[in-house]
Amino acid sequence: KQEVTQIPAALSVPEGENLVLNCSFTDSAIYNLQWFRQDPGKGLTSLLLIQSSQREQTSGRLNASLDKSSGRSTLYIAASQPGDSATYLCAVLTGANNLFFGTGTRLTVIP
Amino acid sequence: DTAVSQTPKYLVTQMGNDKSIKCEQNLGHDTMYWYKQDSKKFLKIMFSYNNKELIINETVPNRFSPKSPDKAHLNLHINSLELGDSAVYFCASRRGRAGEINNEQFFGPGTRLTVL
């Protein structure tokens, strides 16, 4: 059964720092991996989607990488801003159209 | 314009009641989903619908029943509510049929259900 883990569970950084969030999954037979952002009391916002054949995707200050064989993905955030404070979730899409979510990393960017 | 919308945003009710949560997407997507986020913030898929056909029915109690009157709507009906049903329920949708998998899922704002 697919299990998705995110480390660390919580992270606090001063504004301006670059940071990396980690995601690992146990079954490498995935179709794609998606990174989401969730603000307190709000829904999920899709940030990046990496297909299984891709190694990375970039959007603005965000860069996500995927190493499918080792079951790992990272989300790199450059020049962090207070507005980046949120919970970041990774999710992998497996067969039967199942999207398995990780446990999330709660990011706080301190002004 | 809101892409995926849910109503109500908050729902507080007594044990044993029957309630429904509505979801609508204006993206023209083919597949819609319901997820449950528990108190530990873990998201788990409950159902998905593609062209009015149930594709996934995870091991959720049969008190939960998804109803799709048309492609743009997937409502969640819950019978005989229990304390453990308290959670945030998210609706989502994506473009493409079951086999067209490499499309992003877009999520609604969530419905916080509290069962007293």
Side-chain angles (χ1 to χ4, degrees):
Chain A
K1 182 184 175 182
Q2 180 72 263
E3 291 185 4
V4 184
T5 306
Q6 291 183 244
I7 295 173
L11 179 64
S12 290
V13 299
E15 183 177 359
E17 271 201 9
N18 303 325
L19 59 100
V20 175
L21 307 180
N22 297 294
C23 172
S24 62
F25 45 96
T26 54
D27 187 349
S28 61
I30 65 169
Y31 290 111
N32 61 47
L33 183 145
Q34 199 167 350
W35 281 94
F36 294 88
R37 166 186 175 140
Q38 185 174 26
D39 293 282
K42 300 287 181 65
L44 280 73
T45 302
S46 178
L47 299 173
L48 290 164
L49 181 145
I50 310 176
Q51 299 181 17
S52 61
S53 58
Q54 296 175 325
R55 300 280 297 182
E56 65 178 334
Q57 281 285 338
T58 299
S59 176
R61 294 183 294 108
L62 305 179
N63 176 277
S65 68
L66 174 64
D67 184 344
K68 192 177 134 179
S69 60
S70 67
R72 294 179 183 177
S73 175
T74 61
L75 179 66
Y76 175 82
I77 303 177
S80 59
Q81 302 171 359
D84 294 332
S85 298
T87 296
Y88 289 81
L89 297 161
C90 70
V92 296
L93 185 70
T94 64
N97 213 20
N98 262 328
L99 192 63
F100 285 89
F101 278 85
T103 46
T105 294
R106 189 172 68 253
L107 173 66
T108 303
V109 180
I110 304 166
Chain B
D1 284 343
T2 303
V4 183
S5 59
Q6 296 179 227
T7 54
K9 188 173 182 180
Y10 299 97
L11 182 56
V12 181
T13 187
Q14 299 286 333
M15 262 189 355
N17 285 348
D18 302 338
K19 291 293 178 184
S20 291
I21 306 172
K22 296 185 178 181
C23 177
E24 177 181 2
Q25 53 94 4
N26 61 6
L27 299 167
H29 285 173
D30 301 288
T31 305
M32 295 182 71
Y33 305 82
W34 276 104
Y35 290 85
K36 178 180 180 180
Q37 187 173 40
D38 60 27
S39 57
K40 296 182 179 179
K41 306 298 183 185
F42 188 66
L43 268 156
K44 187 174 181 181
I45 190 168
M46 299 177 70
F47 302 105
S48 77
Y49 252 78
N50 178 271
N51 289 333
K52 298 189 181 182
E53 184 178 352
L54 181 66
I55 299 174
I56 301 172
N57 186 349
E58 291 292 314
T59 55
V60 298
N62 57 15
R63 298 181 294 105
F64 291 79
S65 55
K67 298 186 191 302
S68 180
D70 55 57
K71 197 172 92 165
H73 296 84
L74 182 64
N75 303 324
L76 183 64
H77 189 76
I78 314 169
N79 290 326
S80 302
L81 278 157
E82 300 178 356
L83 293 176
D85 297 334
S86 296
V88 181
Y89 292 84
F90 287 99
C91 176
S93 73
R94 73 164 177 84
R95 181 169 52 89
R97 297 171 180 259
E100 299 168 20
I101 51 165
N102 278 320
N103 298 312
E104 292 176 78
Q105 289 195 21
F106 292 85
F107 282 73
T111 295
R112 182 175 294 277
L113 171 65
T114 303
V115 182
L116 303 175

